[in-house]
């Protein structure tokens, strides 16, 4: 190998430059992260999932990580908006790999979903509200057991013995990757049959209600589809 570099100074220089360029390209590659400052709008590579549920004109669509501090900040805002406008809030899992308990929390939430969707969402809300005190998987387990007990639910020793719920979380993560998610939370106001944009990312959450107002106005005279392909 050293003899190859010694053959000529120009090829050696070109090889070094190529290697440096490769390192720079890798360091510049986007990686999913927790959102703290307002990011640029996410380039959407696959918009197929960014539609309201069947029968809805407007919806909030979110990709969240239950260990992400900014997701916890966004959670009560989104909850209030969904309640105020009586619109669906579609919550997708996007647990970031460097958060040690977020994936298990997502699996737990889906187990509570099997009891009722409201119970699953109540668990998510409770985790976000108590997020700073959940410092490990063991603490998460104790928190989850206490939540189940206070809601009169028997938590099994093995929440997901066959891995079905974990597969659902992974499917959501893969969906987020196909769309182009680069941070959590990523939030859109989505519309059906809109005369305006079919979806708008909520980069500034202080403008969330304004974006929903606009989406409702844009779809006011539109006929609502009963199914989406």
């Amino acid at each position: 190998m050293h003899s190859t570099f010694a053959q000529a100074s120009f090829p050696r220089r070109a090889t070094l430059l190529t290697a440096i360029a490769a390192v720079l390209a890798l360091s510049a590659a986007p990686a999913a992260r927790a959102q703290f400052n307002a990011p640029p709008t996410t380039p959407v590579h696959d918009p197929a999932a960014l539609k309201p549920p069947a029968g809805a004109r407007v919806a909030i669509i979110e990709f969240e990580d239950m260990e992400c501090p900014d997701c916890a900040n966004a959670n009560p805002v989104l909850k209030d908006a969904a309640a105020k406008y009586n619109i669906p809030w579609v919550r997708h899992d996007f647990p970031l790999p460097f958060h040690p308990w977020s994936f298990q929390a997502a699996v737990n939430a889906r187990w509570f979903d099997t009891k009722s969707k409201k119970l699953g969402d109540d668990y998510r809300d409770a985790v976000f509200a108590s997020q700073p005190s959940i410092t490990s998987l063991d603490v998460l387990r104790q928190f989850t057991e206490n939540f189940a007990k206070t809601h009169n639910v028997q938590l099994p020793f093995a929440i997901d013995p066959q891995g079905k719920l974990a597969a659902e979380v992974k499917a959501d993560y893969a969906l987020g990757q196909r769309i182009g998610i680069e941070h959590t939370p990523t939030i859109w106001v989505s519309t059906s049959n809109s005369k305006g944009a079919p979806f708008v990312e909520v980069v500034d959450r202080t403008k969330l209600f304004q974006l929903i107002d606009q989406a409702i106005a844009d779809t006011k005279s539109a006929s609502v589809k009963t199914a989406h392909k």
Side-chain angles (χ1 to χ4, degrees), residues 27-189:
S27 63
R33 62 192 186 281
Q35 173 182 331
F36 291 97
N37 298 316
T41 302
T42 302
V44 175
H45 304 304
D46 182 359
L50 301 184
K51 295 179 180 179
R57 287 165 42 197
V58 177
I60 299 168
I61 297 178
E62 179 193 19
F63 281 79
E64 65 185 17
D65 173 309
M66 293 175 69
E67 199 174 343
C68 161
D70 201 44
C71 292
N73 293 336
N75 194 70
V77 178
L78 300 178
K79 185 176 181 179
D80 288 348
K84 172 181 171 62
Y85 290 96
N86 192 28
I87 58 176
W89 174 16
V90 182
R91 307 170 78 164
H92 291 287
D93 292 311
F94 200 77
L96 301 176
F98 54 83
H99 282 158
W101 56 260
S102 61
F103 184 89
Q104 185 60 51
V107 171
N108 295 348
R110 287 178 180 265
W111 184 85
F112 285 111
D113 284 342
T114 66
K115 304 304 177 183
S116 78
K117 188 64 175 67
K118 182 182 184 305
L119 187 60
D121 283 340
D122 285 348
Y123 176 77
R124 293 176 177 91
D125 295 342
V127 169
F128 281 129
S130 302
Q131 190 187 75
S133 66
I134 303 174
T135 55
S136 68
L137 280 167
D138 288 340
V139 175
L140 175 69
R141 175 71 190 193
Q142 186 61 53
F143 175 90
T144 305
E145 289 174 352
N146 291 338
F147 177 88
K149 184 177 180 180
T150 58
H151 289 79
N152 300 314
V153 175
Q154 182 64 45
L155 192 71
F157 177 77
I159 289 179
D160 186 28
Q162 296 179 333
K164 292 181 179 179
L165 302 177
E168 292 174 3
V169 174
K170 291 176 182 178
D172 254 10
Y173 187 86
L175 174 64
Q177 288 183 311
R178 290 198 302 274
I179 291 172
I181 301 295
E182 296 180 352
H183 55 78
T184 58
T186 301
I187 306 160
W188 287 275
V189 173

Side-chain angles (χ1 to χ4, degrees), residues 180-222:
I181 301 295
E182 296 180 352
H183 55 78
T184 58
T186 301
I187 306 160
W188 287 275
V189 173
S190 174
T191 63
S192 174
N193 295 333
S194 173
K195 68 180 181 182
F199 51 84
V200 178
E201 186 171 353
V202 183
V203 176
D204 180 355
R205 290 195 289 273
T206 65
K207 298 180 179 178
L208 173 61
F209 284 28
Q210 177 183 338
L211 292 173
I212 295 174
D213 285 334
Q214 184 62 56
I216 291 173
D218 287 347
T219 60
K220 189 173 182 179
S221 61

